[in-house]
Amino acid sequence: MPDRSPTLAAQARLSHDLLQAVRRDAPLVQCLTNFVSMNYAANALLAIGASPAMVHAAEEAPEFARLSGAVVINIGTLSAPWLDSMLLTAGSAGRAGTPWVLDPVAHHATAFRRDAVARLLDLRPAVIRGNASEIIALAGGQSAGKGVDARDAVAQAEESARALAAARQTVVAVTGETDYVTDGSRALRITGGSPWMPRVTATGCALTAVVGAFAAVSRDDPYAAAVAALSCFGIAGASAHDQAQGPGSYAWRFLDALAALDAASLVRASPLRA
């Protein structure tokens, strides 16, 4: 077993405890997410042990946020009515002390999306999860992103992530070949996953939903929640890769791997790196 610093070992043990808490408590995670990701994100939440609720209508979503363990907002298929509901729901979550997670999908692509994300950021998400291009642009930098695709490496986004986390007093998770999580002072990298992940629709959106599940059981430490969620994805993703023949078989094998994930493996085979 490779040597790890006490900080990494302690974080791995915390991830172990948080996965056990998710499976014990089955937190209710309200997802205002895009049409493409609803089914896969819901299945990922069920596989990890949480309870999904795809409640997004403005007439009920803000009220439902007060009942939820966490709220996830994903702007992938944004529209004006959905944005109204997202803003109302994020505000309601904030007033109720319910942590909420933002997935700023392709926020830099159009003026409508840029304005939407600016307004959502002002409502103080506990965690922001995006690809490298999205995070660079969100921090005010110039990214090479095109639409929803990342054209920048995670390493290029690390400084942007730290600056954004510090400025917004939030946790930023940048996902890619090697993930990076920071709250502006603490930071960790997470290895694992699979090259098939970017070839399966909604894998990243599902990860954001799972971050919400962990945030629900780690309200005082969203950084630990993000690290634990990405660790689960890293280990389960690598496990599914070993048996998959392509993106089709990978999609269902990954859900199986999430469901079969042993909490002890988060310590035994920790994907955390300084």
Side-chain angles (χ1 to χ4, degrees):
M1 182 176 178
D3 182 40
R4 297 186 178 90
S5 71
T7 300
L8 293 182
Q11 187 64 62
R13 288 193 297 272
L14 181 53
S15 295
H16 164 283
D17 294 345
L18 291 178
L19 177 56
Q20 289 189 314
V22 168
R23 289 180 168 163
R24 180 191 67 233
D25 299 344
L28 180 63
V29 182
Q30 179 184 2
C31 299
L32 287 76
T33 191
N34 67 74
F35 295 116
V36 178
S37 74
M38 284 185 185
N39 181 264
Y40 200 73
N43 282 332
L45 284 168
L46 289 168
I48 204 69
S51 178
M54 300 332 203
V55 177
H56 64 267
E59 291 79 4
E60 64 172 345
E63 180 182 358
F64 200 87
R66 299 195 294 270
L67 310 175
S68 301
V71 171
V72 173
I73 293 179
N74 175 309
I75 69 165
T77 51
L78 192 63
S79 67
W82 274 51
L83 177 57
D84 290 343
S85 182
M86 289 172 177
L87 293 168
L88 290 169
T89 304
S92 177
R95 290 188 294 274
T98 303
W100 71 277
V101 182
L102 174 64
D103 193 332
V105 180
H107 69 90
H108 49 298
T110 67
F112 178 50
R113 287 175 179 271
R114 289 191 294 272
D115 176 69
V117 165
R119 296 169 71 186
L120 286 165
L121 283 175
D122 286 342
L123 295 173
R124 301 176 64 87
V127 183
I128 301 168
R129 201 292 308 171
N131 65 40
S133 297
E134 290 164 345
I135 297 304
I136 290 171
L138 202 59
Q142 293 294 317
S143 81
K146 182 180 180 181
V148 300
D149 297 325
R151 300 294 180 91
D152 300 281
V154 172
Q156 294 175 284
E158 290 185 2
E159 183 55 41
S160 295
R162 284 193 296 270
L164 179 62
R168 291 288 180 170
Q169 296 184 323
T170 188
V171 173
V172 177
V174 191
T175 53
E177 187 173 346
T178 296
D179 303 330
Y180 181 78
V181 180
T182 182
D183 62 359
S185 56
R186 296 175 290 177
L188 281 174
R189 298 175 182 86
I190 297 106
T191 60
S194 164
W196 290 122
M197 278 183 159
R199 304 283 295 276
V200 176
T201 298
T203 304
C205 302
L207 172 55
T208 305
V210 171
V211 171
F214 280 86
V217 298
S218 183
R219 292 193 174 202
D220 294 334
D221 193 352
Y223 172 80
V227 169
L230 270 61
S231 295
C232 289
F233 258 59
I235 294 173
S239 175
H241 179 84
D242 292 340
Q243 300 181 60
Q245 285 75 52
S249 60
Y250 184 82
W252 65 262
R253 288 187 185 278
F254 176 66
L255 293 175
D256 283 354
L258 272 182
L261 185 63
D262 177 8
S265 66
L266 293 174
V267 176
R268 183 177 63 251
S270 174
L272 302 180
R273 302 293 181 266

